Amino acid sequence: MIGIYDSGLGGLTALSEARAIMPDTDFIYFGDTAHLPYGTRSESAIIRYAREALSFLGDKGVDAVLCACGTVSSVALDEVKNDYPFAVMGVVEPAARAAVMASRKQKIAVSGTSATVKSDVFRKKILELSPNAEVISVGCDLFVSIVENGFANDMPIATEAAKRYLSGLSDCDTLILGCTHFPLLSEAIRRVLPQITLISSGKEGARSLVKYKKKETGKTEFYLSDTGGSFASMARVFLGYGISPIKKL
Ligand code: DGL
């Protein structure tokens, strides 16, 4: 069984890819909705939340966990990953690798939360893989709230936010969606940057899970730290099927 963890809905971009490539594997999804959004929190808070989530998923018997959250992957992963008897993975390296492969000009933009951009981890990873690359990073925290409040690709607020955050990036040929929520706004992003290659960090992270593929029952359980929000109805729109998340105790 593989755990997929995010602050909220963003990790579903990883889960749907993982499900597609590993249909017989069991998954457990944990959305830390009580602490959402992570991207404007302090490093110590993000590390604490990550440890709580990993202990919870560990108790459920996972073989591996994908931190399907750019913020956790950037800020907390190195600090926590060796403290568990199962593999703890993130989305930064797989997304950076995919971007370096995809970019013709090696002019790569990274969008993420403020915490992710502040950590500079995506830029460092890209430069490790491609030392002459040019990297521009942009914090886009409002995207997270837009997604959590409804899949608003066609709403003016999504396009307006995309314009404000991204219109300076037209010189780049590749944009890493370094927050797993952002692929849910791909259409709005494409309206501003129609030519750019978009790299979904969640999807790339999911592909790196394949070594933990197992012949199991193919089920997914959903847990949230707070079930008060609209996660279930939003997830239904995104996944195309209904789910009944369980409150984490
Ligand atoms: N989906 C997360 C990320 O990839 C977190 C967004 C948030 O909670 O601010 O960064």
Side-chain angles (χ1 to χ4, degrees):
M1 179 167 59
I2 296 176
I4 296 202
Y5 151 54
D6 180 39
S7 57
L9 288 160
L12 297 179
T13 57
L15 177 70
S16 58
E17 178 71 5
R19 281 249 60 106
I21 56 180
M22 293 174 270
D24 300 324
T25 304
D26 290 345
F27 288 92
I28 174 166
Y29 187 95
F30 174 55
D32 192 8
T33 43
H35 297 124
L36 177 97
Y38 277 15
T40 47
R41 308 243 181 236
S42 64
E43 188 179 322
S44 59
I46 297 164
I47 291 171
R48 190 169 76 245
Y49 300 154
R51 285 197 194 284
E52 277 172 26
L54 291 166
S55 302
F56 170 70
L57 291 167
D59 290 346
K60 296 282 176 194
V62 291
D63 304 308
V65 172
L66 176 67
C67 299
C69 172
T71 308
V72 171
S73 303
S74 302
V75 175
L77 189 69
D78 283 349
E79 183 72 25
V80 302
K81 70 179 177 203
N82 296 321
D83 296 349
Y84 300 88
F86 48 86
V88 181
M89 299 154 81
V91 297
V92 173
E93 165 137 25
R97 209 169 274 286
V100 166
M101 297 277 285
S103 174
R104 212 170 29 85
K105 299 197 279 185
Q106 294 299 290
K107 280 194 169 184
I108 299 171
V110 178
S111 58
T113 64
S114 291
T116 295
V117 168
K118 190 166 157 231
S119 77
D120 213 21
V121 169
F122 271 101
R123 199 180 62 84
K124 286 184 190 143
K125 186 47 77 181
I126 293 167
L127 292 179
E128 226 176 273
L129 298 165
S130 174
N132 296 322
E134 239 179 82
V135 184
I136 303 176
S137 306
V138 199
C140 309
D141 292 302
L142 183 59
F143 282 169
V144 177
S145 309
I146 293 175
V147 168
E148 289 288 332
N149 285 287
F151 295 100
N153 265 304
D154 53 349
M155 290 183 191
I157 189 171
T159 310
E160 195 48 44
K163 267 193 213 149
R164 296 269 181 118
Y165 285 137
L166 307 175
S167 43
L169 303 177
S170 52
D171 214 27
C172 298
D173 65 4
T174 303
L175 170 63
I176 297 182
L177 303 174
C179 169
T180 53
H181 280 69
F182 297 178
L184 300 168
L185 292 177
S186 299
E187 287 166 37
I189 293 168
R190 282 218 173 282
R191 249 173 255 136
V192 180
L193 297 168
Q195 309 296 348
I196 212 154
T197 301
L198 298 180
I199 304 291
S200 160
S201 54
K203 222 180 204 181
E204 297 305 329
R207 290 175 185 155
S208 71
L209 286 171
V210 82
K211 53 179 170 286
Y212 299 99
K213 181 175 173 172
K214 262 194 185 167
K215 194 136 193 66
E216 293 169 316
T217 61
K219 67 169 196 272
T220 307
E221 277 175 19
F222 291 86
Y223 287 87
L224 301 177
S225 49
D226 184 50
T227 45
S230 53
F231 184 96
S233 54
M234 305 298 302
R236 183 191 188 97
V237 178
F238 177 71
L239 294 168
Y241 53 84
I243 58 162
S244 311
I246 304 162
K247 184 152 174 17
K248 160 188 174 277
L249 296 174

